[in-house]
Structures are given as C-alpha cells and as structure tokens.
Amino acid sequence: MMETLANIIGLAGSAAVLAAYLLLQLGRLGRTNPGFLLLNLFGAAGILFSLAFAFNLPATLIEAVWVAISGYGIIRYLLRRRSAS
C-alpha cells in the first residue's frame, strides 16, 4: 500500500518537473518565477520521497541537489522581493 502511494507521489513529482520545464520552454514561466521554482522543488521532493521506497543512489543524489537548488532559488526570490519593498 505504502509503495503504491510512493509511486503515485513520485509520478506526480515527475509530472511537476516536466511541467516546469515545458512551461519554461514555452515562455510561460521564467527561470526565476516562483511558480517554476516551486514546481521544481515539489517535483524533486516527490521523486525523492518515492526513492525512499526504491532506493537508487544516483537518482537520490540528483533529486536532493535539485531540491537544494530550487530552495536556494526560492530564498533568493523572497530576499529580493523583501528588499524591493
């Protein structure tokens, strides 16, 4: 049961990352847009969650770094927004 839930969350995460990339390529989201950053953050986190049930070191490392980079982008966005106020 939990493995099925992990797969669903992982698939949703994959869809979020792919949607972010598609929207970037279509010019609908910019690379510093919070929507793009959040899609990447939640997408990578979903994939990372699924990897806890079917561990794969290379995939885990890339998703963990993806979460960290997306988190960094969100923090930069929030700090820029705060200083502009």
Side-chain angles (χ1 to χ4, degrees):
M1 173 90 167
M2 195 60 180
E3 190 172 317
T4 300
L5 178 61
N7 281 330
I8 291 168
I9 292 171
L11 287 170
S14 295
V17 170
L18 291 171
Y21 187 60
L22 175 63
L23 292 170
L24 177 70
Q25 293 305 312
L26 293 174
R28 301 285 176 110
L29 290 178
R31 63 182 179 83
T32 59
N33 181 287
F36 176 75
L37 297 168
L38 287 169
L39 278 171
N40 275 294
L41 178 72
F42 290 126
I47 296 167
L48 199 54
F49 177 82
S50 72
L51 286 166
F53 295 86
F55 184 75
N56 176 308
L57 182 59
T60 300
L61 288 175
I62 196 167
E63 295 309 326
V65 172
W66 205 275
V67 166
I69 291 170
S70 298
Y72 171 75
I74 291 167
I75 290 168
R76 272 189 67 196
Y77 171 81
L78 293 172
L79 291 174
R80 268 188 271 134
R81 188 172 171 200
R82 177 193 255 183
S83 67
S85 298

